[in-house]
Amino acid sequence: MIKDLVVLVADKNMEYTIKGLLTRPQSLGIRQLTYDCFVHPENDPGCLLRGHDFLRSIASNYTHALVMLDHKGCGRERLSRKQLEKQIEERLRQSGWGDRAIAIVISPELEIWVWSNSPHVDRIIGWAGRETDLRSWLVQEGFSEDRKGKPNRPKEAFERALKLTGKARSSSLYYQLAISVSLESCINPAFVKLKATLKKWFSTE
């Protein structure tokens, strides 16, 4: 049976994020999907440079493909996320996917999606009830210029916050965030592209 989608990601945190998001087809404006998600053994550089090779042999098994990685740590940070996406998509196109595959390069990294204003973020990372609210703490620690801004080092900020709350860093946290936090408020360009692409491919209309 041909499945709807194959997703190739750079690490387990992304895998659990995607799995969490795809439990919410209604919120994404799409139908329920059949899909598989794989983690590239070479992480971000592997997805960037060899994602098309990984997916080449299974191009006839899926209707569409997504390749997802962080901009930071991919080894080609001097290029913009859009330039990198274009390179990956061209290699996918030539490896049997045609126009059925896209790339999502998250700038700077996945954790930028974590930092929404949702109270679920505080709850899931164990911050709820602390004297200093999470946004003020980000400003105090120099991660953000104001309480409405995203932290400039999102992964470091996330890990520091978890250390303070005594929460173990695990992929399950990313899953919990993905199934809980509102998808409407995230305006990160990579996330907007992900939502728009899924809706274009799998719309309920």
Side-chain angles (χ1 to χ4, degrees), residues 7 10 38 46 61 68 70 81 86 96 100 102 117 126 128 141 163 170 173 180 187 201:
V7 188
F38 300 105
N61 298 352
M68 197 164 106
D70 287 335
R81 54 166 285 271
K86 195 172 178 183
R100 299 182 296 123
I102 66 145
N117 286 318
E141 295 296 311
K163 194 173 181 181
S170 73
L173 291 175
S180 305
I187 55 170
W201 286 346

Side-chain angles (χ1 to χ4, degrees), residues 65-117:
L66 267 174
V67 177
M68 197 164 106
L69 62 142
D70 287 335
H71 190 240
K72 188 177 180 180
C74 75
R76 298 278 174 92
E77 288 90 346
R78 69 186 183 282
L79 297 175
S80 72
R81 54 166 285 271
K82 283 190 173 181
Q83 288 173 311
L84 294 175
E85 287 173 350
K86 195 172 178 183
Q87 286 182 6
I88 298 166
E89 286 164 2
E90 180 56 28
R91 289 193 281 266
L92 287 164
R93 190 182 69 76
Q94 293 178 3
S95 65
W97 285 94
D99 62 356
R100 299 182 296 123
I102 66 145
I104 302 286
V105 177
I106 308 168
S107 181
E109 54 206 349
L110 175 67
E111 286 74 14
I112 198 72
W113 292 2
V114 166
W115 294 106
S116 83
N117 286 318

Side-chain angles (χ1 to χ4, degrees), residues 28-82:
L28 290 165
I30 62 172
R31 57 179 172 78
Q32 193 81 44
L33 303 184
T34 54
Y35 75 96
D36 290 311
C37 188
F38 300 105
V39 177
H40 199 289
E42 296 169 51
N43 307 111
D44 299 294
C47 283
L48 174 62
L49 301 172
R50 287 172 287 282
H52 61 292
D53 289 330
F54 189 102
L55 295 172
R56 189 192 306 270
S57 65
I58 55 174
S60 60
N61 298 352
Y62 302 89
T63 310
H64 293 284
L66 267 174
V67 177
M68 197 164 106
L69 62 142
D70 287 335
H71 190 240
K72 188 177 180 180
C74 75
R76 298 278 174 92
E77 288 90 346
R78 69 186 183 282
L79 297 175
S80 72
R81 54 166 285 271
K82 283 190 173 181

